[in-house]
Structure formats: structure tokens, C-alpha cells
């Protein structure tokens, strides 16, 4: 599961980067592009850092960042659709995968906290 999530989060980040190349060019495009790329790439980077954590506390802290960034990338996908930088059809597959990854990381964080509290 760990390796699968490392791969999925990396593929997702690359997909976001590629998607941004097709966004309509408007005044806000550069800002939105930078924000979503930052959030999407941060998910995988922080997940990998969490796996290397030296303690349960470090793992939980890094996983908390993963969850925050995962949720943020969903926010930016909403902004892209709502501001008509891309069509909903273009964003839907990214939304689906982003939402699945977010749910997985939220579940992992809850489990890690529960295990910590029951130790």
C-alpha cells in the first residue's frame, strides 16, 4: 500500500502539471496554476517524508500536512472549474483521483492517531 500511494500521488501530481498546460490563459491562470501545482506536488513529497518519520509523532504531523495539501488541491480544482479556466469534463477524472487520495490519507491519519492514543 505504501509504494502504491507513493506512485499514485506522484502520477497525480504529474497529471495536474500536464493539465495546467491546457488551462485557458486569463489574468488569474498563473496564480491558480502555481497554487495547484504546489499543493499537488506537496502531497507526494510530504507522504514520502511521513514514511521516513523517526517517530509516530513525526509521521502523524507529516500526514496532517498531506491531508491539508490534498484538500487544498481539491479546492484549486473547484476554482479552475468555477472560474471557467477548464471544463468540468476535463477536471472530473482529476477530481475523482484527488478525492480518492484525500479520503485514503484522511483514513490513514485517523488510524495513526487512534493507534497512538491506544498505545
Amino acid at each position: 500500500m505504501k509504494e502504491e500511494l507513493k506512485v499514485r500521488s506522484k502520477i497525480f501530481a504529474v497529471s495536474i502539471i500536464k493539465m495546467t498546460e491546457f488551462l485557458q490563459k486569463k489574468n488569474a491562470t498563473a496564480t491558480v496554476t502555481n497554487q495547484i501545482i504546489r499543493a499537488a506536488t506537496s502531497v507526494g513529497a510530504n507522504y514520502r517524508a511521513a514514511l521516513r518519520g523517526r517517530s509516530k509523532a513525526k509521521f502523524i504531523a507529516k500526514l496532517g500536512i498531506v491531508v491539508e495539501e490534498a484538500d487544498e488541491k481539491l479546492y484549486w480544482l473547484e476554482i479552475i472549474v468555477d472560474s471557467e479556466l477548464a471544463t468540468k469534463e476535463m477536471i472530473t477524472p482529476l477530481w475523482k483521483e484527488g478525492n480518492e487520495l484525500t479520503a485514503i490519507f484522511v483514513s490513514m491519519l485517523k488510524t495513526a492517531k487512534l493507534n497512538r492514543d491506544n498505545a
Side-chain angles (χ1 to χ4, degrees):
M1 178 75 154
K2 292 177 186 178
E3 288 303 315
E4 177 187 347
L5 283 174
K6 284 169 62 175
V7 170
R8 277 182 74 178
S9 61
K10 183 178 176 183
I11 290 170
F12 184 79
V14 170
S15 296
I16 290 289
I17 291 167
K18 289 180 178 180
M19 175 273 300
T20 63
E21 296 298 319
F22 295 98
L23 295 180
Q24 291 185 27
K25 303 305 179 216
K26 295 184 177 182
N27 289 339
T29 303
T31 300
V32 172
T33 296
N34 289 338
Q35 291 292 338
I36 195 166
I37 288 173
R38 186 196 54 76
T41 56
S42 179
V43 170
N46 280 294
Y47 177 63
R48 290 169 72 125
L51 293 176
R52 291 188 306 273
R54 291 180 227 154
S55 67
K56 287 181 183 180
K58 288 270 188 191
F59 176 78
I60 290 170
K62 281 292 184 183
L63 207 51
I65 294 169
V66 171
V67 169
E68 289 173 10
E69 296 292 337
D71 185 60
E72 184 179 332
K73 75 181 174 330
L74 294 174
Y75 169 80
W76 289 112
L77 286 172
E78 291 174 9
I79 293 295
I80 288 169
V81 171
D82 292 351
S83 62
E84 299 176 348
L85 295 176
T87 64
K88 190 171 185 173
E89 293 74 27
M90 181 179 175
I91 300 302
T92 297
L94 293 170
W95 176 265
K96 182 177 181 285
E97 177 65 0
N99 207 30
E100 286 178 17
L101 286 169
T102 302
I104 291 167
F105 290 126
V106 166
S107 177
M108 287 177 69
L109 181 58
K110 286 180 182 177
T111 300
K113 286 180 176 180
L114 186 63
N115 288 342
R116 176 202 59 199
D117 295 342
N118 290 331

